[in-house]
Amino acid sequence: MTAAALAQYSILALYTGMAVLGLAMLAFALHIAGVAGQRSTVRAQLRERELAGVTAGAAGAGARKAARPTGSSAVEETGAPAAGARAGGIGMSLTWLAFLLLLASLVLRGLVVMRAPIANLYEFAIGGVIATLGVYLAVALRRPLRWLGLFIVTPSLLVLGLAVTSWYTAATEVGPALQDYWLAIHVPIAVLSVGLFTVAFAVLVLQMLAERRETALAAGRSARMTWLEALPPAARLDRLSYSLHVAAFPLWTFTIVAGAIWGQKAWGTYWSWDPKETWSFVVWVIYAAYLHARATSGWKRRATAWIAVAGYVAILLNTTVVNKYFSGLHSYSGL
């Protein structure tokens, strides 16, 4: 098969994967709507029963509370309605299919140029989406994460859209500095760590929203964004986000160390304060501060969460703005 044919199949697999992700996004949206709608109804019914119990007297209220769970625990125990459960299952299956199609697209592109297909911003973006979906699907094998699918698939689809419209680079050979086995070590680990940070960031944002809603409900105030009913409690979201950050940070550390070793081999220096190197170090410092704050007493959970948000913003700047607008030794975006 010719290189031109492989390149065409690569593009076809990419666009097909994007279409499948679009369908997965719709399925996950239906899942969220179904679960949130049912749990909102259950919460309203529990509130009515509690008010009725107060009216009937303390004894009657105690009997009703003993007979059935109340509050957030009862809402959490309520499963998805049949339609919502089916939509969530369809979304997971479609996400697996899209993951395999995108992986095939990247592999085919690598066969075209006979190198690791992660040497420019277009390839890095596709690899980052594959890593993000892969992390999500891998974690979903161990715990139910259908509620998270919409918030992983949607940004992934947006990144792929940017990749094909603004970051596309034809499959070509790379410069001498990239013709090294370190390309297949340094960059894939960076891609994997970005995937972990992305999933952790999505869970963190949901945790912050859920915590705000729980605080409002506990205070007896009306809370908006009823779709948050489909999510686990904020405390559980916080533990998941923190675990993902803990897993991602050593990989990012290895990325910087491996890059320094490769830099000494390619340019004769371990560190040159290149814009890409500098921003990668900034990302490391921010996430180190986040993990340190989490391990230090006296820090509020919301304050530490904002540090992690700043870290992910730095990742986005490092991946997009620095690659596109800053020149240096790492100017390999292809744009």
Side-chain angles (χ1 to χ4, degrees), residues 34-35 38-39 74-81:
V35 175
Q38 187 190 43
R39 291 184 178 177
V75 176
E76 184 184 346
E77 290 171 5
T78 303

Side-chain angles (χ1 to χ4, degrees), residues 38-39 41-71 74-75 78:
Q38 187 190 43
R39 291 184 178 177
T41 301
V42 171
R43 188 182 291 276
Q45 292 173 348
L46 290 171
R47 189 176 297 112
E48 291 176 0
R49 291 169 183 169
E50 289 173 356
L51 291 175
V54 171
T55 304
R64 273 184 290 271
K65 289 180 180 179
R68 61 179 65 87
T70 60
V75 176
T78 303

Side-chain angles (χ1 to χ4, degrees), residues 174-223:
V174 295
L178 292 181
Q179 295 176 6
D180 195 282
Y181 64 87
W182 278 103
L183 176 64
I185 300 175
H186 169 63
V187 183
I189 296 299
V191 170
L192 178 58
S193 61
V194 169
L196 279 163
F197 278 131
T198 300
V199 177
F201 173 74
V203 177
L204 178 67
V205 172
L206 293 175
Q207 178 264 319
M208 295 173 72
L209 294 174
E211 185 175 52
R212 183 175 181 181
R213 178 177 171 82
E214 289 176 6
T215 301
L217 290 173
R221 302 192 303 269
S222 61

Side-chain angles (χ1 to χ4, degrees), residues 1-250:
M1 188 176 296
T2 64
L6 289 173
Q8 290 179 351
Y9 283 126
S10 174
I11 294 297
L12 178 61
L14 174 62
Y15 278 104
T16 305
M18 292 176 64
V20 173
L21 275 182
L23 295 175
M25 180 179 65
L26 294 176
F28 282 129
L30 291 173
H31 174 72
I32 289 289
V35 175
Q38 187 190 43
R39 291 184 178 177
S40 294
T41 301
V42 171
R43 188 182 291 276
Q45 292 173 348
L46 290 171
R47 189 176 297 112
E48 291 176 0
R49 291 169 183 169
E50 289 173 356
L51 291 175
V54 171
T55 304
R64 273 184 290 271
K65 289 180 180 179
R68 61 179 65 87
T70 60
S72 60
S73 61
V75 176
E76 184 184 346
E77 290 171 5
T78 303
R86 286 196 298 269
I90 292 171
M92 290 299 300
S93 298
L94 290 172
T95 304
W96 272 107
L97 178 57
F99 169 76
L100 294 174
L101 286 168
L102 294 174
L103 183 60
S105 174
L106 203 60
V107 170
L108 288 171
R109 185 176 173 91
L111 293 175
V112 172
V113 291
M114 298 304 295
R115 59 166 172 80
I118 40 177
N120 52 59
L121 184 55
Y122 169 76
E123 296 168 354
F124 189 92
I126 297 175
V129 170
I130 293 172
T132 300
L133 295 177
V135 169
Y136 167 66
L137 293 170
V139 178
L141 292 174
R142 300 177 59 88
R143 61 182 70 191
L145 288 183
R146 294 177 181 179
W147 52 268
L148 182 58
L150 178 64
F151 310 101
I152 297 298
V153 167
T154 302
S156 296
L157 197 54
L158 292 174
V159 171
L160 291 175
L162 285 172
V164 299
T165 58
S166 301
W167 301 336
Y168 178 76
T169 304
T172 58
E173 292 294 335
V174 295
L178 292 181
Q179 295 176 6
D180 195 282
Y181 64 87
W182 278 103
L183 176 64
I185 300 175
H186 169 63
V187 183
I189 296 299
V191 170
L192 178 58
S193 61
V194 169
L196 279 163
F197 278 131
T198 300
V199 177
F201 173 74
V203 177
L204 178 67
V205 172
L206 293 175
Q207 178 264 319
M208 295 173 72
L209 294 174
E211 185 175 52
R212 183 175 181 181
R213 178 177 171 82
E214 289 176 6
T215 301
L217 290 173
R221 302 192 303 269
S222 61
R224 299 178 180 178
M225 296 189 291
T226 56
W227 57 267
L228 289 170
E229 291 283 0
L231 305 184
R236 187 180 302 176
L237 295 174
D238 178 67
R239 290 193 296 270
L240 176 58
S241 175
Y242 178 67
S243 298
L244 291 168
H245 279 108
V246 169
F249 184 73

Side-chain angles (χ1 to χ4, degrees), residues 289-307:
Y290 163 72
L291 295 176
H292 176 72
R294 285 297 303 254
T296 304
S297 61
W299 279 83
K300 294 183 178 180
R301 189 162 65 185
R302 179 164 289 271
T304 60
W306 280 113
I307 298 176

